[in-house]
Amino acid sequence: MPIHTEPTTVAGAHLQLRVIPRDAHTISRKDISPNALRVLYRLREGGFGAYLVGGAVRDLLVGGHPKDFDVATDATPEQVKALFRNCRLIGRRFRLAHVVYGREIIEVATFRANVDDGSGDRELHEGGRLLRDNVYGTIEDDAVRRDFTANALYYAIEDFSVRDYVGGYEDVSNRLMRLIGDPETRYREDPVRMLRAVRLAAKLGFGIETATAEPIARLAPLLAESAPARLFEESLKLFLSGHAVAGFIGLEQHGLLPALLPETAAALKSNRSGALRRMLLEGLESTDKRVAADEPVSPAFLFALLLWPAYCRALMSLQAGGMHAAEAERRAADRVTLHQLNTIALPRRFSLPMQEIWLLQSRFSQRQRKRVFRLLTHPRFRASFDFLVLRQSASPEHADDIAFWREAQTQSGEALAAHLDAHPASDADEGAPTKRRRRRRRRGPATSE
Ligand code: ATP
Ligand code: MG
């Protein structure tokens, strides 16, 4: 069957529908989650239009394995609910249907528009930011309110064709992220789209089309106005999905780093040797390897890494002011965490262990028997030790400590005790830590400075 096209007009834009028939594209039903197929067929039996849409279609076209499958339909959420026993409606601003199959949730969204129909249901913030968008619409409306052309492709269950209203099929073929509509307007509506451009390009190995890339560096400061909770979620997707190195380099190239991680960006800039950046990339590379090997990755470790340059810089300036090392470490950790919270809402369950990873670093040079055993049994020992190993890639000075602690982990308690008794800690080792033991009461990250 030949690819056919047909013109439509939506919100003043002229759209050209392009239908890519089943035998002209690579999406096969065997790559689609059986539950998503179940939902699509059931909607169709109910007399509704049913399409797979968004990231899943895009990922399938490039041969990827989507983690979630989103469905779009002309059925209202109530009509969807009436079709499925295992369906619950969520969302206040925009109602969505979740069809639940054990641990898998298929999200079913009614086509929605992004146009001001005069009902007052769409409001723009002064800066052009979109505050509410809860107007139902046609499939064409639904396509143009999406962010990138690659994300606006519809796989129709009725004939297994792909419907393309915005040129997304060609962009996917050319491996390009292109914003739908005027880039600046779309970024002002929702600055997180800048981050999504970089993240998806990194994940898919796509380029960012020139006009889509151009405004990013200029508009990057707008990111600071986005909800910190959303930026936290986006950051996790950016750095813990197996493409952290490419993502980080993308942030740098497009001028987004100062907007997302301001103090780290400043610290990297002033680190002439480039050692901190090398360490960061090394850490992100090992994160990517862990993801590829299906090994667990932790947000606490990730942020310890991302904010380490900022922490080092804060620590140096506090110590230059004459503050005692232990106190300076604690203050630097609190200060960096608190400042970063303005942009990224890092929950305490991650920021506390992140700070522990930093604060344990100075304890690896201490060798008194009691301290050695206390550190070995610390719940954050393993993460902190891995972090120390990573620091080695920036400066070789930790080789002795790494060798000692690597060995210590493999020894029995008695053997280690015997070793430590045979090699007592030097006076220099004894001095400073004793002072450190007069611990201050621990403060949370958000209480000081
Ligand atoms: P991922 O593979 O990371 O899940 P995705 O494209 O599926 O990528 P989601 O956040 O799951 O990203 O969003 C699903 C779809 O919703 C997108 O493909 C896009 O069509 C639309 N969308 C998401 N975020 C935006 C946004 N900020 N503006 C406009 N449309 C968006
Ligand atoms: Mg998705």
Side-chain angles (χ1 to χ4, degrees), residues 54-56 58-59 68-70 199 203 237:
R58 176 200 69 210
D59 291 355
D68 38 45
F69 292 86
D70 295 337
R199 173 169 78 76
K203 160 176 161 165
K237 282 194 175 189

Side-chain angles (χ1 to χ4, degrees), residues 352-354 356-357 360 375 377-385:
L352 291 180
M354 168 189 81
E356 281 180 315
I357 290 172
L360 288 180
L375 184 51
T377 52
H378 192 288
R380 222 62 63 200
F381 170 78
R382 191 63 222 190
S384 305
F385 177 72

Side-chain angles (χ1 to χ4, degrees), residues 252 257-258 261-277 308-317:
E252 286 184 322
L257 199 62
L261 301 165
E263 297 195 349
T264 285
L268 291 179
K269 212 169 152 190
S270 63
N271 179 232
R272 296 246 170 77
S273 71
L276 287 171
R277 182 173 181 275
W308 177 252
Y311 170 74
C312 290
R313 192 167 186 245
L315 184 59
M316 260 162 46
S317 92

Side-chain angles (χ1 to χ4, degrees), residues 14-330:
H14 299 289
L15 300 183
Q16 185 81 32
L17 167 63
R18 185 164 171 228
V19 181
I20 300 100
R22 67 186 294 189
D23 53 7
H25 63 71
T26 55
I27 298 180
S28 148
R29 267 168 295 164
K30 71 177 187 336
D31 298 323
I32 300 174
S33 131
N35 291 324
L37 287 173
R38 238 168 245 138
V39 169
L40 290 166
Y41 283 126
R42 184 105 191 77
L43 284 167
R44 170 141 172 80
E45 283 159 21
F48 299 106
Y51 304 84
L52 199 63
V53 69
V57 179
R58 176 200 69 210
D59 291 355
L60 287 170
L61 283 174
V62 298
H65 303 280
K67 272 200 298 298
D68 38 45
F69 292 86
D70 295 337
V71 168
T73 179
D74 55 4
T76 64
E78 289 70 24
Q79 288 171 323
V80 177
K81 188 160 172 53
L83 285 177
F84 298 93
R85 262 184 308 118
N86 49 334
C87 174
R88 52 169 195 251
L89 300 187
I90 61 144
R92 264 186 314 140
R93 196 175 90 164
F94 191 84
R95 305 265 280 166
L96 289 172
H98 276 181
V99 187
V100 185
Y101 296 93
R103 294 180 61 188
E104 190 181 18
I105 294 175
I106 306 298
E107 190 171 287
V108 183
T110 306
F111 295 141
R112 84 177 105 147
N114 201 1
V115 288
D116 195 344
D117 62 356
S119 70
D121 269 345
R122 182 170 189 270
E123 290 170 14
L124 280 186
H125 171 262
E126 284 164 274
R129 199 149 44 89
L130 211 49
L131 296 181
R132 300 170 61 207
D133 57 338
N134 51 357
V135 191
Y136 294 136
T138 61
I139 186 169
E140 290 90 346
D141 295 323
D142 194 75
V144 297
R145 62 112 191 146
R146 290 177 186 273
D147 46 7
F148 301 96
T149 61
N151 288 347
L153 294 167
Y154 296 76
Y155 172 83
I157 203 66
E158 70 188 69
D159 58 3
F160 314 118
S161 68
V162 170
R163 315 270 170 112
D164 176 9
Y165 295 89
V166 292
Y169 190 77
E170 203 179 324
D171 285 335
V172 170
S173 310
N174 295 327
R175 308 188 80 83
L176 271 184
M177 297 304 298
R178 182 199 305 272
L179 266 179
I180 300 168
D182 172 56
E184 175 150 353
T185 310
R186 301 305 308 281
Y187 288 138
R188 285 190 182 279
E189 280 175 0
D190 179 6
V192 174
R193 287 172 183 152
M194 296 188 274
L195 214 50
R196 287 176 56 83
V198 166
R199 173 169 78 76
L200 293 170
K203 160 176 161 165
L204 301 161
F206 279 24
I208 303 178
E209 179 267 334
T210 316
T212 300
E214 183 276 322
I216 297 183
R218 194 161 32 89
L219 300 179
L222 295 179
L223 211 55
E225 291 170 26
S226 303
R230 233 181 123 202
L231 290 181
F232 173 65
E233 292 302 325
E234 276 295 323
S235 304
L236 291 188
K237 282 194 175 189
L238 180 64
F239 293 114
L240 297 182
S241 304
H243 305 277
V245 171
F248 184 83
I249 291 172
L251 289 181
E252 286 184 322
Q253 279 173 349
H254 295 279
L256 285 171
L257 199 62
L260 193 65
L261 301 165
E263 297 195 349
T264 285
L268 291 179
K269 212 169 152 190
S270 63
N271 179 232
R272 296 246 170 77
S273 71
L276 287 171
R277 182 173 181 275
R278 269 202 307 284
M279 170 189 162
L280 223 160
L281 287 174
E282 190 101 6
L284 294 177
E285 197 181 320
S286 80
T287 307
D288 287 346
K289 285 197 184 126
R290 289 183 70 92
V291 174
D294 247 336
E295 289 167 30
V297 284
S298 96
F301 192 89
L302 170 72
F303 278 93
L305 179 67
L306 291 173
L307 296 177
W308 177 252
Y311 170 74
C312 290
R313 192 167 186 245
L315 184 59
M316 260 162 46
S317 92
L318 288 169
Q319 283 188 301
M323 193 180 286
H324 183 277
E327 174 67 6
E329 285 168 17
R330 208 168 285 288

